[in-house]
Amino acid sequence: MSSNNNLYKAQKTSKCWLMKTEPDVFSIDDLKKNKTTLWEGVRNYQARNYMKEMQVGDSVIFYHSSSKPSGVAGLATVNKTAVPDPTQFNKKSEYFDPKATQEKPIWFCTEVKFVTKFNNFISLEDIKNDKNLSEMVVIQKGSRLSIQPVSPKDFEYIQQLSVKTTK
DNA sequence: GCCAACGTTGGC
DNA sequence: GCCAACGTTGGC
């Protein structure tokens, strides 16, 4: 098999995600500066399960929530698969979980790497107004999961939107 | 700051 | 295992 085929296959099997963060706490600029970060503090089982599914190289839409405005600030990628979230063992952490033990951790986090910061932020309103993105989980009623799957089609579209509006 | 929607907890 | 009460998320 040629290397081109391998590349094609890798792209085909990699998944796309959306990860929410409050920019006051950790923003795309923080990620740009730090290059990578452990996605600590997720305390929702569904979001945790999605993180466990993530593979190195998966694409991540970096979403600013509870912000003015909220929306997509840039892109990232999965740098390391899920490991036990260290904050669950730390009594001083706001994310401490007394039920978790080193032998039986409850919470996991992936390492995420900076890819790009959009020159033109794509606001939540932009997404809502775009018929092509009507299936995104982030705009579904009542949806508040901090980690969500994104279809490759929607990921591609968001990526192209950011390129177009930059010109 | 409000509140709808969803998740979690705990009594029964 | 039901479900009321409570806590949290996150857009507005």
Side-chain angles (χ1 to χ4, degrees):
Chain A
M1 195 188 276
S2 75
S3 58
N4 268 349
N5 275 341
N6 284 332
L7 188 66
Y8 179 72
K9 197 176 176 186
Q11 284 172 347
K12 272 292 193 191
T13 54
S14 90
K15 291 185 178 171
C16 306
W17 309 93
L18 179 146
M19 297 175 90
K20 290 183 189 172
T21 170
E22 295 185 25
D24 292 347
V25 180
F26 190 84
S27 72
I28 190 77
D29 290 321
D30 295 322
L31 184 62
K32 186 175 183 178
K33 191 173 63 186
N34 298 356
K35 305 283 187 271
T36 65
T37 190
L38 259 190
W39 208 266
E40 296 169 333
V42 170
R43 292 296 180 269
N44 170 286
Y45 287 104
Q46 205 176 342
R48 179 204 67 179
N49 292 344
Y50 282 138
M51 232 172 346
K52 282 179 159 184
E53 274 186 46
M54 291 181 184
Q55 296 296 319
V56 172
D58 280 4
S59 303
V60 174
I61 288 174
F62 195 98
Y63 182 90
H64 283 178
S65 65
S66 297
S67 148
K68 294 174 189 170
S70 295
V72 179
L75 302 177
T77 186
V78 176
N79 203 42
K80 286 180 187 161
T81 52
V83 296
D85 181 338
T87 62
Q88 70 194 306
F89 308 123
N90 179 359
K91 280 187 179 163
K92 301 223 173 110
S93 169
E94 60 172 314
Y95 300 120
F96 176 67
D97 187 339
K99 295 198 210 91
T101 63
Q102 296 280 351
E103 295 73 30
K104 283 207 158 188
I106 299 172
W107 306 108
F108 292 81
C109 54
T110 54
E111 188 180 83
V112 167
K113 186 170 77 177
F114 176 79
V115 171
T116 186
K117 177 187 176 180
F118 289 165
N119 289 326
N120 286 62
F121 187 85
I122 300 173
S123 72
L124 181 60
E125 196 187 359
D126 293 337
I127 295 173
K128 283 180 173 171
N129 289 336
D130 196 323
K131 283 182 187 163
N132 294 294
L133 295 174
S134 62
E135 285 176 16
M136 283 192 79
V137 177
V138 74
I139 54 167
Q140 305 310 313
K141 188 176 164 71
S143 158
R144 53 177 212 192
L145 256 190
S146 65
I147 295 176
Q148 312 173 352
V150 172
S151 75
K153 180 174 70 75
D154 289 345
F155 180 84
E156 187 76 10
Y157 189 84
I158 290 269
Q159 198 175 22
Q160 285 180 4
L161 254 192
S162 76
V163 173
K164 271 183 202 159
T165 52
T166 296
K167 281 180 184 168

